[in-house]
Amino acid sequence: MQCAATTHYWEIEDKDVIVIPSLSLNAHELQNISGVGHYEAERMLYVLLALGKSRTRVIYVTSSPLDHGIADYYVGLLPSEIRQDARGRVTFMSVCDVDTGRSLAEKICMRPRLLNRLRSMVRPETTVLNVLRGTRHEMRISNELGIPVYSARPGDQSYGSKSGSRALFDRLRIPCADGTSVACFDVEDLITQILEVTLRNPTAMRGVVKLDEGFSGKGNAVMDLGRIRRVDVTDIARLRLAARGALENMDFCCRGRTWDDYEDEIRRMGAIFELFVEGEITASPSVQVVVNEDYSVSVVSTHEQILDNQVYVGCRFPADEAYRRELMRYGKLVGEFFAERRITDHFSVDFICVRHPTSFAWEVYAIEINLRVTGTTHPWMTLKLLTHGSTDETSGVYYSDTHQVRCYVSSDCIQGESLRHLVPMDIKEIFEARKDLNWCPERQMGVVCHLLGCVSENGKIGMTSIADTPEGAQRQFDQAVSFLLSESDSSSALVTPPRHLSD
Protein backbone atom coordinates (compact mmCIF):
# COMPACT_ATOMS: atom_id res chain seq x y z
CA MET A 1 0.00 0.00 0.00
CA GLN A 2 1.22 3.48 -0.86
CA CYS A 3 -0.75 5.62 1.57
CA ALA A 4 0.28 9.14 2.56
CA ALA A 5 1.24 9.53 6.22
CA THR A 6 1.68 13.30 6.42
CA THR A 7 -1.15 15.29 7.99
CA HIS A 8 -1.98 18.40 5.95
CA TYR A 9 -4.03 21.52 6.71
CA TRP A 10 -7.08 20.21 4.90
CA GLU A 11 -7.11 17.04 7.00
CA ILE A 12 -8.19 19.27 9.94
CA GLU A 13 -7.16 16.97 12.80
CA ASP A 14 -5.10 18.01 15.85
CA LYS A 15 -5.55 21.73 15.21
CA ASP A 16 -8.05 24.58 15.63
CA VAL A 17 -10.40 24.84 12.67
CA ILE A 18 -12.65 27.80 11.87
CA VAL A 19 -15.25 26.64 9.34
CA ILE A 20 -17.03 29.13 7.06
CA PRO A 21 -19.23 26.83 4.93
CA SER A 22 -20.30 29.65 2.64
CA LEU A 23 -21.85 28.65 -0.70
CA SER A 24 -19.91 31.37 -2.50
CA LEU A 25 -21.39 30.49 -5.88
CA ASN A 26 -23.78 32.18 -8.29
CA ALA A 27 -26.69 33.35 -6.10
CA HIS A 28 -29.29 33.02 -8.86
CA GLU A 29 -28.27 29.42 -9.59
CA LEU A 30 -28.35 28.55 -5.89
CA GLN A 31 -32.09 29.26 -5.86
CA ASN A 32 -32.55 26.10 -7.96
CA ILE A 33 -31.39 23.90 -5.05
CA SER A 34 -34.14 22.61 -2.77
CA GLY A 35 -33.14 23.35 0.84
CA VAL A 36 -30.15 25.47 -0.19
CA GLY A 37 -29.84 27.03 3.28
CA HIS A 38 -29.35 23.59 4.79
CA TYR A 39 -26.77 22.71 2.14
CA GLU A 40 -24.76 25.78 3.20
CA ALA A 41 -24.97 25.00 6.90
CA GLU A 42 -24.39 21.25 6.63
CA ARG A 43 -22.21 20.52 3.58
CA MET A 44 -19.03 20.80 5.69
CA LEU A 45 -20.30 19.33 8.97
CA TYR A 46 -17.97 16.37 8.43
CA VAL A 47 -15.44 18.63 10.18
CA LEU A 48 -17.12 17.75 13.49
CA LEU A 49 -15.85 14.19 13.08
CA ALA A 50 -12.31 15.55 13.50
CA LEU A 51 -13.22 16.06 17.17
CA GLY A 52 -12.35 12.39 17.56
CA LYS A 53 -8.77 13.63 17.97
CA SER A 54 -8.35 15.11 21.44
CA ARG A 55 -6.38 18.19 20.33
CA THR A 56 -8.90 19.33 17.70
CA ARG A 57 -11.10 22.36 18.34
CA VAL A 58 -13.82 23.51 15.91
CA ILE A 59 -15.52 26.90 15.50
CA TYR A 60 -18.40 26.56 13.03
CA VAL A 61 -20.17 29.66 11.68
CA THR A 62 -23.55 29.57 9.92
CA SER A 63 -26.12 32.03 8.54
CA SER A 64 -28.83 30.80 10.93
CA PRO A 65 -28.49 28.80 14.16
CA LEU A 66 -27.89 25.09 13.65
CA ASP A 67 -30.39 22.67 15.17
CA HIS A 68 -28.90 21.05 18.30
CA GLY A 69 -30.10 17.65 17.14
CA ILE A 70 -27.87 17.89 14.06
CA ALA A 71 -24.73 18.61 16.07
CA ASP A 72 -25.61 15.85 18.54
CA TYR A 73 -25.99 13.39 15.68
CA TYR A 74 -22.46 14.03 14.39
CA VAL A 75 -20.84 13.92 17.82
CA GLY A 76 -22.80 10.72 18.49
CA LEU A 77 -20.90 9.03 15.65
CA LEU A 78 -17.69 9.23 17.68
CA PRO A 79 -16.65 6.53 20.17
CA SER A 80 -18.79 6.85 23.33
CA GLU A 81 -15.85 7.48 25.66
CA ILE A 82 -14.87 10.75 23.96
CA ARG A 83 -18.27 12.26 23.09
CA GLN A 84 -18.62 14.46 26.17
CA ASP A 85 -15.12 15.88 25.75
CA ALA A 86 -15.75 16.41 22.02
CA ARG A 87 -18.87 18.49 22.71
CA GLY A 88 -16.76 20.83 24.83
CA ARG A 89 -14.36 21.47 21.94
CA VAL A 90 -16.88 22.78 19.39
CA THR A 91 -18.36 26.28 19.27
CA PHE A 92 -21.26 27.25 16.99
CA MET A 93 -21.78 30.85 15.93
CA SER A 94 -24.44 32.40 13.69
CA VAL A 95 -24.84 35.72 11.90
CA CYS A 96 -28.65 35.29 12.21
CA ASP A 97 -29.17 36.45 8.63
CA VAL A 98 -30.90 34.15 6.11
CA ASP A 99 -30.67 36.59 3.17
CA THR A 100 -29.95 34.32 0.18
CA GLY A 101 -28.75 37.26 -1.92
CA ARG A 102 -25.48 37.39 0.02
CA SER A 103 -23.03 34.61 0.80
CA LEU A 104 -22.25 33.72 4.39
CA ALA A 105 -18.67 34.94 3.94
CA GLU A 106 -19.93 38.33 2.76
CA LYS A 107 -22.30 38.54 5.75
CA ILE A 108 -19.39 37.90 8.12
CA CYS A 109 -17.30 40.61 6.45
CA MET A 110 -20.15 43.07 7.08
CA ARG A 111 -20.01 42.37 10.84
CA PRO A 112 -16.74 43.68 12.33
CA ARG A 113 -17.70 42.74 15.89
CA LEU A 114 -18.21 39.14 14.83
CA LEU A 115 -14.81 39.20 13.13
CA ASN A 116 -13.28 40.57 16.34
CA ARG A 117 -14.95 37.79 18.31
CA LEU A 118 -13.52 35.20 15.97
CA ARG A 119 -10.09 36.85 16.14
CA SER A 120 -10.12 36.59 19.92
CA MET A 121 -10.56 32.82 19.62
CA VAL A 122 -7.65 32.32 17.21
CA ARG A 123 -4.39 30.68 18.21
CA PRO A 124 -2.31 31.68 15.15
CA GLU A 125 0.17 28.83 15.38
CA THR A 126 -2.52 26.12 15.29
CA THR A 127 -5.61 27.63 13.61
CA VAL A 128 -6.65 27.18 9.97
CA LEU A 129 -9.67 28.45 8.02
CA ASN A 130 -11.76 25.94 6.09
CA VAL A 131 -14.06 27.18 3.33
CA LEU A 132 -15.99 25.67 0.45
CA ARG A 133 -14.59 28.06 -2.17
CA GLY A 134 -12.19 30.97 -2.09
CA THR A 135 -13.61 34.35 -3.10
CA ARG A 136 -12.48 37.82 -2.04
CA HIS A 137 -14.70 37.55 1.04
CA GLU A 138 -13.09 34.31 2.28
CA MET A 139 -9.66 35.83 1.61
CA ARG A 140 -10.56 38.93 3.59
CA ILE A 141 -11.66 36.80 6.55
CA SER A 142 -8.34 34.92 6.36
CA ASN A 143 -6.41 38.20 6.38
CA GLU A 144 -8.49 39.71 9.17
CA LEU A 145 -7.95 36.65 11.37
CA GLY A 146 -4.30 36.22 10.40
CA ILE A 147 -4.65 32.51 9.64
CA PRO A 148 -4.11 30.42 6.50
CA VAL A 149 -7.08 29.47 4.33
CA TYR A 150 -7.06 26.26 2.40
CA SER A 151 -8.45 27.40 -0.96
CA ALA A 152 -7.47 28.62 -4.40
CA ARG A 153 -7.17 32.38 -4.71
CA PRO A 154 -10.00 34.33 -6.39
CA GLY A 155 -7.82 35.01 -9.43
CA ASP A 156 -7.36 31.27 -9.96
CA GLN A 157 -11.05 30.36 -9.74
CA SER A 158 -11.44 30.66 -13.53
CA TYR A 159 -9.84 27.21 -13.84
CA GLY A 160 -12.99 25.87 -12.21
CA SER A 161 -15.34 27.41 -14.78
CA LYS A 162 -16.63 25.42 -17.74
CA SER A 163 -14.57 27.46 -20.22
CA GLY A 164 -11.46 27.43 -18.02
CA SER A 165 -11.74 23.66 -17.58
CA ARG A 166 -11.91 23.02 -21.31
CA ALA A 167 -9.01 25.37 -22.02
CA LEU A 168 -6.88 23.56 -19.44
CA PHE A 169 -7.80 20.12 -20.82
CA ASP A 170 -6.65 21.30 -24.26
CA ARG A 171 -3.43 22.65 -22.77
CA LEU A 172 -2.65 19.41 -20.90
CA ARG A 173 -3.82 17.22 -23.81
CA ILE A 174 -6.46 15.51 -21.72
CA PRO A 175 -9.15 14.15 -24.09
CA CYS A 176 -12.52 15.91 -24.04
CA ALA A 177 -15.48 16.28 -26.38
CA ASP A 178 -15.20 18.84 -29.16
CA GLY A 179 -16.58 22.22 -28.13
CA THR A 180 -15.79 25.81 -27.21
CA SER A 181 -13.27 27.11 -24.66
CA VAL A 182 -14.39 30.73 -24.41
CA ALA A 183 -17.61 31.70 -22.66
CA CYS A 184 -20.17 33.56 -24.79
CA PHE A 185 -22.35 36.20 -23.13
CA ASP A 186 -24.35 36.96 -26.26
CA VAL A 187 -26.70 34.38 -27.79
CA GLU A 188 -25.76 35.33 -31.35
CA ASP A 189 -22.08 34.72 -30.53
CA LEU A 190 -23.03 31.40 -28.96
CA ILE A 191 -24.93 30.41 -32.12
CA THR A 192 -21.80 31.15 -34.17
CA GLN A 193 -19.75 28.88 -31.91
CA ILE A 194 -22.38 26.12 -32.00
CA LEU A 195 -22.46 26.13 -35.79
CA GLU A 196 -18.67 25.98 -36.04
CA VAL A 197 -18.53 22.90 -33.79
CA THR A 198 -21.56 21.25 -35.41
CA LEU A 199 -20.39 21.72 -38.99
CA ARG A 200 -17.01 20.14 -38.29
CA ASN A 201 -18.77 17.15 -36.68
CA PRO A 202 -21.36 16.19 -39.34
CA THR A 203 -22.53 13.01 -37.57
CA ALA A 204 -23.13 14.57 -34.14
CA MET A 205 -26.81 14.57 -33.16
CA ARG A 206 -26.77 16.23 -29.72
CA GLY A 207 -24.82 18.90 -27.88
CA VAL A 208 -24.75 20.41 -24.40
CA VAL A 209 -24.92 24.09 -23.53
CA LYS A 210 -23.43 24.86 -20.10
CA LEU A 211 -23.62 28.01 -18.03
CA ASP A 212 -20.00 28.92 -17.37
CA GLU A 213 -20.47 29.26 -13.60
CA GLY A 214 -23.12 26.54 -13.25
CA PHE A 215 -22.64 23.70 -10.78
CA SER A 216 -23.96 20.19 -10.03
CA GLY A 217 -25.19 19.99 -13.65
CA LYS A 218 -28.09 22.37 -12.99
CA GLY A 219 -26.75 24.88 -15.52
CA ASN A 220 -26.68 22.33 -18.35
CA ALA A 221 -29.14 21.92 -21.22
CA VAL A 222 -29.13 19.20 -23.91
CA MET A 223 -29.57 20.46 -27.47
CA ASP A 224 -30.99 18.42 -30.37
CA LEU A 225 -28.86 19.16 -33.45
CA GLY A 226 -31.38 17.59 -35.83
CA ARG A 227 -32.85 20.98 -36.83
CA ILE A 228 -29.42 22.15 -37.94
CA ARG A 229 -28.67 18.93 -39.83
CA ARG A 230 -31.74 19.43 -42.04
CA VAL A 231 -30.51 22.79 -43.38
CA ASP A 232 -28.19 23.29 -46.37
CA VAL A 233 -24.76 24.13 -44.89
CA THR A 234 -24.36 26.99 -47.37
CA ASP A 235 -27.54 28.74 -46.16
CA ILE A 236 -26.08 30.62 -43.18
CA ALA A 237 -29.26 32.56 -42.39
CA ARG A 238 -31.40 29.42 -42.15
CA LEU A 239 -28.64 27.64 -40.16
CA ARG A 240 -28.72 30.42 -37.58
CA LEU A 241 -32.51 30.29 -37.37
CA ALA A 242 -32.37 26.52 -36.92
CA ALA A 243 -29.72 26.87 -34.19
CA ARG A 244 -31.83 29.43 -32.32
CA GLY A 245 -34.86 27.16 -32.56
CA ALA A 246 -32.79 24.28 -31.16
CA LEU A 247 -31.62 26.50 -28.29
CA GLU A 248 -35.14 27.59 -27.40
CA ASN A 249 -36.31 23.96 -27.28
CA MET A 250 -33.45 22.47 -25.28
CA ASP A 251 -33.95 19.86 -22.57
CA PHE A 252 -33.03 21.85 -19.45
CA CYS A 253 -31.44 19.73 -16.74
CA CYS A 254 -32.85 21.96 -14.01
CA ARG A 255 -36.56 21.18 -13.78
CA GLY A 256 -38.87 24.15 -14.30
CA ARG A 257 -36.31 26.19 -16.20
CA THR A 258 -37.41 27.99 -19.40
CA TRP A 259 -35.53 29.43 -22.34
CA ASP A 260 -36.33 32.99 -21.23
CA ASP A 261 -34.64 32.68 -17.84
CA TYR A 262 -31.82 30.57 -19.31
CA GLU A 263 -31.12 33.29 -21.90
CA ASP A 264 -30.89 35.79 -19.05
CA GLU A 265 -28.38 33.54 -17.30
CA ILE A 266 -26.26 33.34 -20.47
CA ARG A 267 -26.05 37.14 -20.49
CA ARG A 268 -25.24 37.13 -16.78
CA MET A 269 -22.54 34.44 -16.55
CA GLY A 270 -21.77 33.26 -20.09
CA ALA A 271 -22.07 29.80 -21.62
CA ILE A 272 -20.08 27.25 -23.60
CA PHE A 273 -21.11 24.48 -25.99
CA GLU A 274 -19.75 20.97 -26.41
CA LEU A 275 -20.85 17.83 -28.16
CA PHE A 276 -22.84 15.24 -26.22
CA VAL A 277 -20.72 12.11 -25.78
CA GLU A 278 -22.87 9.26 -27.10
CA GLY A 279 -22.66 5.55 -26.40
CA GLU A 280 -24.77 2.51 -25.54
CA ILE A 281 -22.83 1.90 -22.30
CA THR A 282 -21.61 5.00 -20.51
CA ALA A 283 -20.43 5.98 -17.02
CA SER A 284 -19.94 9.35 -15.32
CA PRO A 285 -16.99 9.00 -12.93
CA SER A 286 -14.87 11.65 -11.23
CA VAL A 287 -11.52 11.91 -9.50
CA GLN A 288 -10.93 13.98 -6.36
CA VAL A 289 -7.48 15.50 -5.84
CA VAL A 290 -5.82 17.73 -3.25
CA VAL A 291 -2.90 20.10 -3.77
CA ASN A 292 -1.38 20.32 -0.31
CA GLU A 293 0.12 23.39 1.34
CA ASP A 294 3.63 22.06 0.50
CA TYR A 295 2.47 21.76 -3.16
CA SER A 296 2.56 17.98 -3.18
CA VAL A 297 -0.38 16.37 -4.99
CA SER A 298 -2.60 13.70 -3.42
CA VAL A 299 -5.17 11.73 -5.43
CA VAL A 300 -7.66 10.94 -2.68
CA SER A 301 -10.64 9.27 -4.36
CA THR A 302 -12.44 8.22 -7.51
CA HIS A 303 -16.21 7.98 -7.76
CA GLU A 304 -18.99 6.78 -9.99
CA GLN A 305 -21.33 9.76 -10.00
CA ILE A 306 -25.05 9.09 -9.74
CA LEU A 307 -26.84 11.58 -12.01
CA ASP A 308 -30.46 12.49 -12.62
CA ASN A 309 -30.64 14.14 -16.05
CA GLN A 310 -27.01 15.32 -15.65
CA VAL A 311 -27.68 16.67 -12.13
CA TYR A 312 -25.50 15.20 -9.37
CA VAL A 313 -27.49 13.28 -6.74
CA GLY A 314 -24.87 10.92 -5.29
CA CYS A 315 -21.83 8.73 -5.83
CA ARG A 316 -20.20 5.33 -5.35
CA PHE A 317 -16.60 4.91 -4.17
CA PRO A 318 -14.33 3.79 -5.72
CA ALA A 319 -14.82 4.11 -9.47
CA ASP A 320 -14.72 1.08 -11.77
CA GLU A 321 -11.28 -0.52 -11.87
CA ALA A 322 -11.42 -0.61 -15.69
CA TYR A 323 -10.65 3.11 -15.95
CA ARG A 324 -9.84 4.11 -12.34
CA ARG A 325 -6.09 4.48 -12.91
CA GLU A 326 -6.64 6.61 -16.00
CA LEU A 327 -8.84 8.98 -13.98
CA MET A 328 -6.15 9.17 -11.31
CA ARG A 329 -3.47 9.91 -13.89
CA TYR A 330 -5.44 12.77 -15.44
CA GLY A 331 -6.38 14.12 -12.00
CA LYS A 332 -2.74 14.17 -10.93
CA LEU A 333 -1.80 15.92 -14.17
CA VAL A 334 -4.24 18.76 -13.38
CA GLY A 335 -3.00 18.81 -9.77
CA GLU A 336 0.62 19.17 -10.88
CA PHE A 337 -0.36 22.09 -13.11
CA PHE A 338 -2.02 23.79 -10.13
CA ALA A 339 0.96 23.03 -7.87
CA GLU A 340 3.32 24.70 -10.34
CA ARG A 341 1.19 27.83 -10.04
CA ARG A 342 1.08 27.61 -6.23
CA ILE A 343 -2.67 26.85 -6.17
CA THR A 344 -3.69 24.81 -3.10
CA ASP A 345 -7.19 23.40 -2.87
CA HIS A 346 -9.46 20.40 -3.10
CA PHE A 347 -10.73 19.87 -6.64
CA SER A 348 -12.45 17.20 -8.68
CA VAL A 349 -12.44 16.41 -12.39
CA ASP A 350 -15.62 14.98 -13.91
CA PHE A 351 -15.50 12.57 -16.84
CA ILE A 352 -17.75 10.58 -19.10
CA CYS A 353 -16.59 7.12 -20.15
CA VAL A 354 -17.96 5.23 -23.15
CA ARG A 355 -17.45 1.53 -23.74
CA HIS A 356 -16.46 0.67 -27.31
CA PRO A 357 -19.04 -1.73 -28.83
CA THR A 358 -16.50 -4.14 -30.35
CA SER A 359 -13.22 -3.82 -28.43
CA PHE A 360 -15.06 -3.24 -25.11
CA ALA A 361 -12.31 -0.78 -24.12
CA TRP A 362 -13.38 2.35 -22.26
CA GLU A 363 -12.85 5.74 -23.89
CA VAL A 364 -12.40 8.50 -21.29
CA TYR A 365 -13.42 12.14 -21.87
CA ALA A 366 -12.87 14.93 -19.34
CA ILE A 367 -15.92 17.14 -18.75
CA GLU A 368 -15.06 19.82 -16.19
CA ILE A 369 -13.00 20.81 -13.16
CA ASN A 370 -14.66 21.76 -9.86
CA LEU A 371 -12.08 23.87 -8.01
CA ARG A 372 -13.68 23.70 -4.55
CA VAL A 373 -15.18 21.36 -1.99
CA THR A 374 -17.71 19.27 -3.94
CA GLY A 375 -20.55 16.83 -3.37
CA THR A 376 -18.03 13.96 -3.29
CA THR A 377 -15.90 15.67 -0.62
CA HIS A 378 -18.43 15.17 2.17
CA PRO A 379 -18.70 11.34 1.97
CA TRP A 380 -14.98 10.84 1.45
CA MET A 381 -14.02 13.09 4.38
CA THR A 382 -16.66 11.32 6.48
CA LEU A 383 -14.95 8.01 5.69
CA LYS A 384 -11.48 9.38 6.38
CA LEU A 385 -12.31 11.08 9.69
CA LEU A 386 -14.19 8.04 10.99
CA THR A 387 -11.61 5.43 9.97
CA HIS A 388 -8.36 7.49 9.88
CA GLY A 389 -7.09 5.76 6.77
CA SER A 390 -5.83 6.70 3.31
CA THR A 391 -6.27 5.90 -0.36
CA ASP A 392 -3.59 3.84 -2.06
CA GLU A 393 -2.45 6.14 -4.86
CA THR A 394 -1.54 3.20 -7.08
CA SER A 395 -4.73 1.16 -6.90
CA GLY A 396 -7.24 3.82 -5.73
CA VAL A 397 -8.40 1.48 -2.93
CA TYR A 398 -9.04 2.94 0.53
CA TYR A 399 -7.62 1.27 3.66
CA SER A 400 -8.69 2.16 7.19
CA ASP A 401 -6.22 2.54 10.08
CA THR A 402 -6.79 -1.16 10.76
CA HIS A 403 -5.79 -1.96 7.15
CA GLN A 404 -9.32 -2.90 6.13
CA VAL A 405 -10.72 -2.05 2.69
CA ARG A 406 -13.63 0.38 2.85
CA CYS A 407 -16.10 1.45 0.12
CA TYR A 408 -19.27 3.52 0.17
CA VAL A 409 -22.45 4.59 -1.57
CA SER A 410 -23.68 8.12 -0.87
CA SER A 411 -26.65 10.22 -1.95
CA ASP A 412 -27.89 13.74 -1.19
CA CYS A 413 -31.39 13.01 -2.45
CA ILE A 414 -33.22 10.35 -0.45
CA GLN A 415 -36.75 11.70 -0.74
CA GLY A 416 -40.19 10.84 0.57
CA GLU A 417 -43.17 12.87 1.66
CA SER A 418 -43.29 10.89 4.91
CA LEU A 419 -39.84 12.21 5.85
CA ARG A 420 -41.53 15.52 6.64
CA HIS A 421 -42.91 13.81 9.76
CA LEU A 422 -39.40 13.73 11.23
CA VAL A 423 -37.07 16.23 12.89
CA PRO A 424 -33.25 15.85 12.97
CA MET A 425 -33.22 14.29 16.44
CA ASP A 426 -35.51 11.52 15.16
CA ILE A 427 -32.86 10.33 12.70
CA LYS A 428 -30.46 9.52 15.52
CA GLU A 429 -33.13 7.62 17.47
CA ILE A 430 -34.35 5.69 14.43
CA PHE A 431 -30.93 4.34 13.49
CA GLU A 432 -29.86 3.63 17.07
CA ALA A 433 -32.62 1.00 17.01
CA ARG A 434 -30.86 -0.79 14.13
CA LYS A 435 -27.37 -1.73 15.28
CA ASP A 436 -26.83 -3.68 12.06
CA LEU A 437 -27.30 -0.50 9.99
CA ASN A 438 -26.14 2.30 12.28
CA TRP A 439 -22.51 3.47 12.12
CA CYS A 440 -20.36 1.34 14.42
CA PRO A 441 -16.89 2.73 15.39
CA GLU A 442 -15.67 -0.75 16.33
CA ARG A 443 -16.62 -2.40 13.02
CA GLN A 444 -15.89 0.81 11.07
CA MET A 445 -18.97 0.14 8.98
CA GLY A 446 -22.53 1.39 8.88
CA VAL A 447 -24.72 4.26 7.71
CA VAL A 448 -24.02 7.95 8.32
CA CYS A 449 -26.72 10.53 7.51
CA HIS A 450 -26.23 14.14 6.43
CA LEU A 451 -28.37 17.12 5.42
CA LEU A 452 -30.58 16.38 8.41
CA GLY A 453 -31.96 19.93 8.33
CA CYS A 454 -33.72 19.18 5.03
CA VAL A 455 -35.80 16.37 6.46
CA SER A 456 -38.82 18.28 7.84
CA GLU A 457 -38.78 21.23 5.45
CA ASN A 458 -37.95 19.47 2.19
CA GLY A 459 -38.77 15.81 2.80
CA LYS A 460 -35.27 14.66 1.89
CA ILE A 461 -32.02 13.65 3.53
CA GLY A 462 -28.51 12.49 2.61
CA MET A 463 -26.93 9.16 3.51
CA THR A 464 -23.50 7.52 3.19
CA SER A 465 -23.27 3.74 3.53
CA ILE A 466 -19.75 2.49 4.41
CA ALA A 467 -18.88 -1.21 4.06
CA ASP A 468 -16.01 -3.51 3.07
CA THR A 469 -17.19 -4.13 -0.53
CA PRO A 470 -19.10 -2.06 -3.10
CA GLU A 471 -21.87 -4.66 -3.10
CA GLY A 472 -22.09 -4.60 0.69
CA ALA A 473 -22.25 -0.81 0.74
CA GLN A 474 -25.09 -0.81 -1.80
CA ARG A 475 -27.02 -3.52 0.00
CA GLN A 476 -26.68 -1.70 3.33
CA PHE A 477 -27.69 1.58 1.67
CA ASP A 478 -30.85 0.06 0.18
CA GLN A 479 -31.80 -1.52 3.50
CA ALA A 480 -31.23 1.74 5.38
CA VAL A 481 -33.32 3.79 2.94
CA SER A 482 -36.17 1.27 3.12
CA PHE A 483 -36.01 1.19 6.92
CA LEU A 484 -35.95 5.01 7.24
CA LEU A 485 -38.90 5.50 4.89
CA SER A 486 -40.85 2.78 6.69
CA GLU A 487 -40.16 4.34 10.08
CA SER A 488 -41.05 7.84 8.87
CA ASP A 489 -44.28 6.61 7.33
CA SER A 490 -45.33 4.77 10.47
CA SER A 491 -44.31 7.65 12.75
CA SER A 492 -47.44 9.63 11.84
CA ALA A 493 -49.61 6.74 13.02
CA LEU A 494 -47.74 6.59 16.31
CA VAL A 495 -48.78 10.08 17.34
CA THR A 496 -51.65 9.73 19.84
CA PRO A 497 -53.96 12.76 20.12
CA PRO A 498 -53.97 14.24 23.65
CA ARG A 499 -56.91 13.17 25.84
CA HIS A 500 -59.50 15.79 26.67
CA LEU A 501 -59.13 17.08 30.22
CA SER A 502 -62.62 15.90 31.07
CA ASP A 503 -61.94 12.31 29.95
Side-chain angles (χ1 to χ4, degrees), residues 382-403:
T382 297
L383 171 67
K384 180 171 179 59
L385 292 171
L386 287 174
T387 65
H388 311 291
S390 304
T391 299
D392 185 310
E393 292 201 38
T394 300
S395 66
V397 174
Y398 181 90
Y399 295 91
S400 71
D401 60 353
T402 57
H403 310 295

Side-chain angles (χ1 to χ4, degrees), residues 474-495:
Q474 185 66 61
R475 184 166 55 251
Q476 181 177 254
F477 179 89
D478 294 340
Q479 290 173 352
V481 170
S482 178
F483 173 65
L484 177 61
L485 292 175
S486 173
E487 287 295 301
S488 63
D489 191 46
S490 63
S491 65
S492 60
L494 295 175
V495 178

Side-chain angles (χ1 to χ4, degrees), residues 144-203:
E144 291 277 356
L145 301 183
I147 58 175
V149 57
Y150 190 77
S151 178
R153 300 173 294 270
D156 297 320
Q157 292 293 339
S158 60
Y159 290 116
S161 67
K162 303 299 183 289
S163 58
S165 297
R166 289 188 55 83
L168 185 54
F169 295 148
D170 286 344
R171 181 171 184 166
L172 299 179
R173 300 192 178 188
I174 296 175
C176 59
D178 195 4
T180 64
S181 299
V182 177
C184 294
F185 293 81
D186 179 83
V187 172
E188 292 304 316
D189 291 340
L190 180 61
I191 287 173
T192 299
Q193 296 287 333
I194 289 170
L195 290 176
E196 288 181 4
V197 175
T198 302
L199 293 177
R200 66 175 177 253
N201 293 276
T203 62

Side-chain angles (χ1 to χ4, degrees), residues 40 135 170 251 259:
E40 178 188 74
T135 71
D170 286 344
D251 180 12
W259 167 248

Side-chain angles (χ1 to χ4, degrees), residues 277-289:
V277 179
E278 308 276 6
E280 286 187 18
I281 302 176
T282 63
S284 299
S286 68
V287 61
Q288 188 176 185
V289 185

Side-chain angles (χ1 to χ4, degrees), residues 14-171:
D14 291 332
K15 54 178 67 72
D16 293 353
V17 189
I18 296 179
V19 186
I20 311 292
S22 178
L23 290 180
S24 298
L25 302 162
N26 183 275
H28 194 266
E29 283 295 287
L30 285 173
Q31 294 173 11
N32 294 311
I33 298 178
S34 172
V36 63
H38 300 295
Y39 273 82
E40 178 188 74
E42 299 182 49
R43 178 56 85 191
M44 296 181 69
L45 273 176
Y46 58 77
V47 174
L48 298 187
L49 301 176
L51 295 166
K53 296 285 188 173
S54 61
R55 291 184 294 173
T56 302
R57 188 174 64 131
V58 175
I59 302 164
Y60 201 97
V61 189
T62 54
S63 288
S64 57
L66 194 71
D67 185 283
H68 291 298
I70 298 173
D72 284 346
Y73 174 83
Y74 275 85
V75 175
L77 297 169
L78 302 173
S80 57
E81 64 271 16
I82 65 172
R83 290 172 193 167
Q84 185 172 351
D85 178 65
R87 287 186 179 93
R89 288 183 280 111
V90 59
T91 301
F92 292 99
M93 304 175 72
S94 170
V95 300
C96 298
D97 180 356
V98 296
D99 176 12
T100 57
R102 298 182 190 274
S103 70
L104 171 60
E106 184 178 2
K107 295 170 189 174
I108 293 171
C109 289
M110 294 169 60
R111 291 164 170 81
R113 287 181 178 272
L114 177 58
L115 278 170
N116 286 338
R117 202 167 298 120
L118 287 169
R119 191 182 297 111
S120 71
M121 305 172 77
V122 164
R123 293 184 290 189
E125 69 282 0
T126 62
T127 307
V128 296
L129 178 63
N130 262 49
V131 299
L132 185 137
R133 182 173 183 255
T135 71
R136 60 188 177 91
H137 300 298
E138 283 84 355
M139 295 303 155
R140 179 184 165 188
I141 293 171
S142 171
N143 292 333
E144 291 277 356
L145 301 183
I147 58 175
V149 57
Y150 190 77
S151 178
R153 300 173 294 270
D156 297 320
Q157 292 293 339
S158 60
Y159 290 116
S161 67
K162 303 299 183 289
S163 58
S165 297
R166 289 188 55 83
L168 185 54
F169 295 148
D170 286 344
R171 181 171 184 166

